[in-house]
Amino acid sequence: MNLDRRIDKILEINLPAIRDGQETIDAIIEKYPQYAGALRPRLEVILWLVNAKKDLEPRQGYISSSRQYMEHQFESIQPRGFWRRAISRYTPQRWVFNIVAPIIVFLLLALVINSAILTARLSIPGDPFYSMKLLTEDVRLALTFNQVDKTDLYIQFSRERTTEFVELVLEGNYELLPLAATRLETEIIASLRSLNEVPIQNQATEQPMIMQLRDTLTNEILMLNMLKGSSPPTAYSGIELAIQAAQSGLMALR
Amino acid sequence: MPARLDKDHELIQKAQQGDAHAFGDLYECHAPIIFRYLFAHLDSRMDAEDLTGEVFLKAWQSLPKYTERGIPFLAFLFRIARNVLVDHYRQSNRQESKSPDELDGYKEEGNSETAEMIGNQMEHQKILRVLATLRPDYQTVLTLRFISELSPEETALVMKRSVGAIRVLQHRALATLRQEIEKTG
């Protein structure tokens, strides 16, 4: 037992006697002379606190005289359980407000987020919500763990990039075409890479996916060539880039 | 202590059935301890008396909650007392000690200021001043252990610490208090 614990034990044993004034500091120290040095300062402080206690006592007769008043108070206020206390905490109107307000806020928030997602889905490069569209796509990819489903998503996104490309041409935003073509290329490469990563046990589903990607790329090349024929020369370079990207993808697939 | 716990248990059971007289017995038994704890933190005797009543009213209202927790009744009272004290500080913004002239409601009540009473007030102020120099957890452990006379186990329950931690805290608090007493003379 170390010194502090031993001292604590001595203090604990002698505390009742100090409180009752039955023992003096010197009398206690005499019993434990080997600990005198460590005991005396602590005993002196304890004695100070014990004396302080006397000055903090309630007035003579206060407790017994106030008891009757307190009992009347107790009788007028019956104990209440958790639910009664919780219910009586607010008025019924306040309860309705407390319940309805968060629901309304939640619904409004859901409406705003939903509208933003829908607007983002219809956006094309250059729109303020376009980055949100790309973010939503990334989230969908991150939440898709099956490789086949992931490949399917990449092919869908590749189609989406072509649609955006066509819309840009129709709207006359030719300056954005090179960037859109690069995005299309990235999506095609990602589709091919994802297709290569389909596990061997899913080989049966791989063949239809290859067919799907081939059809998608063939249609994209056809669509882009038609677009090139009907567009002004300033759009040629951008469209050519997209056609090259689709053709490279098709070649890689073969 | 077991005898006190048994008696408390019996009275609490009666009080939970709505027996205000049984709770009155609990009040008479524990109110002085709660009062001393509160008065060791407050500069007005009247505030300490009011808050003692408030602690017991809150305890009476929370009796069903007490059963759920299953802690000794005294520890339950002290937890309420601590919260009441914090609320009082927030409301009255009176953490700072006042001079003896400003103190104690007896002057307002029109009671005679005997020399003994003034002496007590001065002494009380001195105690408050010295205790106020300590860290809050030191103040609490010393008040609970030596002024409210709680056991280390009860103090541990009130302060939500282990008995070992209470012993260490008490040891350090006593050492710091000694230094403060020496400084103030």
Side-chain angles (χ1 to χ4, degrees):
Chain A
M1 195 184 288
N2 66 31
L3 181 69
D4 284 341
R5 290 189 72 178
R6 179 78 189 133
I7 297 285
D8 277 340
K9 200 158 187 184
I10 294 169
L11 294 177
E12 208 54 50
I13 293 165
N14 291 285
L15 194 55
I18 299 171
R19 279 176 183 154
D20 299 340
Q22 291 167 354
E23 295 251 39
T24 61
I25 292 177
D26 291 330
I28 296 167
I29 288 171
E30 260 179 41
K31 286 194 275 183
Y32 312 96
Q34 69 275 35
Y35 301 115
L39 261 179
R40 184 174 286 280
R42 287 181 177 85
L43 283 170
E44 281 173 357
V45 178
I46 289 172
L47 194 66
W48 186 88
L49 284 163
V50 169
N51 288 331
K53 185 197 142 208
K54 288 171 194 160
D55 293 305
L56 299 170
E57 291 289 356
R59 280 184 285 141
Q60 193 76 34
Y62 167 73
I63 298 295
S64 51
S65 63
S66 62
R67 178 185 167 157
Q68 206 176 3
Y69 168 77
M70 288 306 292
E71 280 183 15
H72 281 300
Q73 293 283 311
F74 298 149
E75 273 163 6
S76 63
I77 312 164
Q78 281 302 307
R80 291 177 296 165
F82 173 78
W83 288 111
R84 274 188 66 186
R85 268 186 286 120
I87 290 165
S88 62
R89 194 171 174 188
Y90 302 117
T91 59
Q93 291 87 342
R94 182 67 195 262
W95 269 115
V96 171
F97 176 80
N98 282 356
I99 294 165
V100 171
I103 293 173
I104 290 174
V105 168
F106 175 77
L107 287 175
L108 281 173
L109 210 63
L111 194 73
V112 168
I113 292 170
N114 200 34
S115 306
I117 290 172
L118 283 176
T119 315
R121 270 192 188 179
L122 298 171
S123 63
I124 56 168
D127 284 352
F129 280 94
Y130 188 67
S131 55
M132 193 172 169
K133 181 185 189 174
L134 296 179
L135 183 74
T136 317
E137 287 178 359
D138 286 344
V139 171
R140 282 179 70 189
L141 280 171
L143 296 176
T144 308
F145 301 104
N146 184 307
Q147 194 56 40
V148 176
D149 293 342
K150 204 170 240 184
T151 310
D152 197 37
L153 268 181
Y154 276 122
I155 296 170
Q156 263 186 49
F157 295 155
S158 152
R159 264 188 237 132
E160 187 62 35
R161 293 297 91 83
T162 312
T163 314
E164 287 167 6
F165 194 89
V166 172
E167 278 187 48
L168 281 175
V169 174
L170 293 177
E171 283 186 10
N173 283 333
Y174 306 132
E175 71 277 10
L176 289 172
L177 291 182
L179 185 67
T182 313
R183 280 212 186 97
L184 174 66
E185 189 180 19
T186 313
E187 222 65 77
I188 292 169
I189 292 168
S191 306
L192 290 166
R193 195 169 288 160
S194 181
L195 201 58
N196 277 335
E197 285 169 9
V198 172
I200 301 165
Q201 57 266 36
N202 284 336
Q203 289 294 321
T205 52
E206 196 187 9
Q207 207 55 38
M209 301 216 78
I210 293 171
M211 293 286 285
Q212 194 190 344
L213 184 57
R214 185 177 297 148
D215 289 349
T216 304
L217 291 172
T218 312
N219 287 339
E220 280 172 2
I221 293 165
L222 189 71
M223 205 190 302
L224 290 166
N225 274 318
M226 281 169 68
L227 203 65
K228 193 181 168 188
S230 61
S231 302
T234 44
Y236 282 5
S237 59
I239 298 172
E240 199 57 49
L241 272 173
I243 293 171
Q244 277 173 17
Q247 279 174 340
S248 309
L250 201 59
M251 279 175 70
L253 201 63
R254 278 172 191 156
Chain B
M1 192 167 65
R4 187 172 82 188
L5 286 178
D6 287 345
K7 199 182 164 196
D8 280 0
H9 183 69
E10 196 186 318
L11 290 169
I12 288 158
Q13 277 190 329
K14 283 184 188 172
Q16 278 173 331
Q17 287 159 9
D19 186 345
H21 186 72
F23 204 70
D25 284 342
L26 284 167
Y27 172 78
E28 200 160 344
C29 175
H30 298 300
I33 305 169
I34 298 294
F35 175 87
R36 286 199 298 267
Y37 170 75
L38 293 170
F39 198 28
H41 291 87
L42 296 165
D43 48 18
S44 160
R45 183 176 284 272
M46 279 187 82
D47 280 349
E49 286 173 357
D50 288 347
L51 293 190
T52 305
E54 199 179 320
V55 168
F56 279 86
L57 280 176
K58 285 196 171 170
W60 170 251
Q61 285 185 302
S62 308
L63 270 184
K65 196 168 140 194
Y66 163 69
T67 358
E68 285 162 22
R69 287 186 178 180
I71 55 168
F73 185 64
L74 201 55
F76 172 67
L77 285 177
F78 269 103
R79 283 193 189 169
I80 297 174
R82 285 183 83 181
N83 293 337
V84 164
L85 205 56
V86 171
D87 287 346
H88 175 79
Y89 281 149
R90 277 196 198 128
Q91 281 168 13
S92 60
N93 198 18
R94 275 195 230 157
Q95 283 107 323
E96 296 293 320
S97 291
K98 292 178 179 177
S99 70
D101 304 344
E102 292 176 274
L103 285 183
D104 233 305
Y106 295 110
K107 226 190 296 186
E108 289 160 26
E109 274 182 346
N111 289 1
S112 60
E113 290 177 13
T114 61
E116 188 193 357
M117 195 176 282
I118 294 168
N120 283 347
Q121 284 177 14
M122 301 278 279
E123 200 56 43
H124 174 232
Q125 277 307 295
K126 191 182 160 194
I127 295 162
L128 279 187
R129 261 201 306 275
V130 175
L131 286 177
T133 57
L134 303 180
R135 260 169 45 177
D137 53 348
Y138 286 178
Q139 274 184 50
T140 308
V141 76
L142 293 179
T143 316
L144 292 175
R145 287 284 290 120
F146 302 106
I147 291 173
S148 291
E149 298 184 346
L150 259 61
S151 66
E153 290 76 17
E154 287 169 323
T155 310
L157 278 169
V158 175
M159 294 185 74
K160 294 182 185 169
R161 296 189 191 198
S162 67
V163 177
I166 290 297
R167 286 192 199 285
V168 173
L169 197 66
Q170 177 189 307
H171 175 76
R172 289 176 185 164
L174 284 173
T176 314
L177 180 59
R178 183 174 168 82
Q179 288 169 6
E180 291 303 327
I181 293 169
E182 278 171 359
K183 262 190 233 169
T184 54

